[in-house]
Amino acid sequence: MDPHLLATFVAVARHGSFSAAATELGYTQSAISQQIAALEADLGLPLLRRRPVEPTPAGARLLEHAAPLLLRLRAARADVLRAAARPRHRLRLAATPLSTGPVLARRLAGVRARRPRLEVALHTCGLDQVTAMVAEGEADVGLVDGIAAPSDPLRLPDAGPMTTARVSEEDLAVALPVDHPLAGRAALRLAGLVDARWVRSPLCPLARLRDLMGDPAGDGFPTGLEHTGDDVHTVLALVAAGHGLTLLPASALTPLVAGVPLAAPRLVHRVELLHGTLPPGTADLVKDLSG
């Protein structure tokens, strides 16, 4: 299967338009049609309905495979280029919103103090994008976070060979409105909160909580409000206003909400550093950041 044809198929399916895909990829609409026809001929199946433009069942199945396949190809190219790169005085970091806490800030300050010429660029985004940026060479190092059992590694998307290292682990707390009946408790159990309303956000994915409670397909932890952003202050404001609870590292809480330690199950907020093949001169920087 030609990866160029696969990338064209993904673009057409994403836009729902041959002409829009042609504009994005720099081809004529006729060339896009020919590439899709070639891919369909290779597989012997129709992949797109034409009016409206949308995937067939076979096309939808192919889309499930397309993104990780194309990512692995881009990652392989980036890995080869990194291995042959020249040393430079620039560090590109991609990080999830809750991974860049005080521990990292102190370590990064130490790195820069020892290397005054070092330029640092930090880009904040979601876990999937951090992983993709590192795999594709757009970032030298990634920092990701999530909820895990103590010392357990985080679950990361498959983006090819990648090295991970623990940066920190921190206790979790349930964030509630200050006048919530449970706000005065010394600790809370997650099992006692499965019927409470929660703020669903990338900072606290409810599917992960259901998985941890052994009920991945259940209806526990109902959504009181869904927030698609990654700003912790917005999430805390929603909790304070009574839209639902959330689970965050204790250091992320503010006086806006009440924070009650999570007693059971034993879970932590884990931060990991990840990288592929490092450019020359970058390995010692990574060692300093991971502690």
Side-chain angles (χ1 to χ4, degrees):
M1 189 184 305
D2 188 326
H4 295 291
L5 301 183
L6 187 60
T8 298
F9 167 68
V10 170
V12 173
R14 184 175 67 252
H15 288 290
S17 165
F18 281 73
S19 60
T23 300
E24 176 188 328
L25 299 175
Y27 294 111
T28 63
Q29 185 170 336
S30 174
I32 293 292
S33 297
Q34 291 172 13
Q35 291 179 41
I36 295 299
L39 183 60
E40 291 178 324
D42 180 28
L43 292 175
L45 291 167
L47 300 173
L48 289 169
R49 299 187 181 94
R50 268 43 176 191
R51 293 179 184 162
V53 177
E54 60 183 14
T56 63
R61 194 65 176 266
L62 180 59
L63 279 175
E64 295 177 8
H65 296 280
L69 284 172
L70 293 173
L71 174 58
R72 290 295 295 269
L73 287 171
R74 294 192 298 270
R77 181 179 187 277
D79 188 55
V80 172
L81 294 176
R82 277 194 298 260
R86 295 179 179 180
R88 49 187 170 78
H89 301 283
R90 181 174 174 81
L91 180 65
R92 299 169 301 168
L93 284 168
T96 53
L98 291 177
S99 68
T100 53
V103 172
L104 173 70
R106 288 193 298 270
R107 290 178 184 173
L108 188 56
V111 168
R112 300 191 69 188
R114 291 187 292 275
R115 299 167 179 81
R117 296 177 57 192
L118 181 68
E119 297 178 6
V120 179
L122 174 63
H123 180 79
T124 303
C125 51
L127 186 147
D128 287 353
Q129 189 177 351
V130 169
T131 307
M133 288 182 69
V134 174
E136 296 172 22
E138 295 181 22
D140 303 313
V141 176
L143 285 157
V144 294
D145 73 281
I147 299 172
S151 301
D152 277 0
L154 296 177
R155 297 181 180 180
L156 301 177
D158 180 13
M162 204 166 292
T163 301
T164 62
R166 184 183 72 87
V167 174
S168 64
E169 286 184 357
E170 181 184 353
D171 289 337
L172 288 160
V174 181
L176 318 96
V178 292
D179 58 352
H180 194 281
L182 300 177
R185 295 285 186 90
L188 289 170
R189 299 172 62 89
L190 198 57
L193 302 171
V194 292
D195 295 324
R197 291 188 308 162
W198 288 72
V199 174
R200 187 166 116 189
S201 79
L203 302 180
C204 180
L206 300 185
R208 176 63 175 145
L209 299 187
R210 296 187 190 104
D211 189 43
L212 288 166
M213 296 303 295
D215 189 23
D219 56 0
F221 308 102
T223 300
L225 184 145
E226 182 173 359
H227 175 59
T228 56
D230 54 19
D231 178 52
V232 66
H233 298 291
T234 300
V235 172
L236 292 176
L238 294 171
V239 171
H243 293 288
L245 315 181
T246 194
L247 191 63
L248 292 171
S251 63
L253 302 184
T254 69
L256 195 66
V257 299
V260 180
L262 183 69
R266 178 76 175 97
L267 300 173
V268 295
H269 175 255
R270 182 177 171 90
V271 176
E272 290 184 354
L273 181 146
L274 61 149
H275 61 84
T277 302
L278 293 169
T282 308
D284 55 340
L285 301 180
V286 169
K287 187 181 297 184
D288 289 343
L289 287 174
S290 61

